[in-house]
Amino acid sequence: MENNEGRILEQTEQDIPKTLWTIDRSKCNVCGECVDACKRGILIVKDKMIIMTSQIDCNWCGDCAGACASDAIELT
């Protein structure tokens, strides 16, 4: 599995995400509301972009997508 950083992650069957989500960089204005909304703390601002540090640690609650006024986060 690839994360947003483009690195391949080692995974087991238990680690496979239920779903994936993406950030549309053309819509994202890097306001940071999604970072604040993430209870797991897996979103960070790095190099003027929102970065997800781990798909595996995400519980797909949707709080980040709900906090995004730009509709830049899509849970698939």
Side-chain angles (χ1 to χ4, degrees):
M1 178 174 80
E2 274 192 47
N3 63 12
N4 281 350
E5 297 293 314
R7 292 176 290 203
I8 303 299
L9 299 174
E10 293 293 323
Q11 65 185 28
T12 66
E13 191 170 312
Q14 298 154 322
D15 292 335
I16 297 172
K18 302 171 207 132
T19 184
L20 298 177
W21 63 267
T22 57
I23 299 172
D24 184 338
R25 306 239 183 260
S26 67
K27 291 181 180 179
C28 179
N29 62 11
V30 195
C31 68
E33 291 297 323
C34 59
V35 175
D36 294 339
C38 180
K39 293 177 182 84
R40 299 254 173 159
I42 62 170
L43 297 175
I44 61 170
V45 177
K46 180 179 178 182
D47 298 327
K48 298 179 185 176
M49 292 189 304
I50 302 295
I51 303 292
M52 173 187 19
T53 59
S54 174
Q55 287 260 4
I56 292 168
D57 292 328
C58 178
N59 68 354
W60 291 271
C61 66
D63 288 348
C64 59
C68 182
S70 302
D71 274 338
I73 299 175
E74 181 178 335
L75 293 123
T76 56

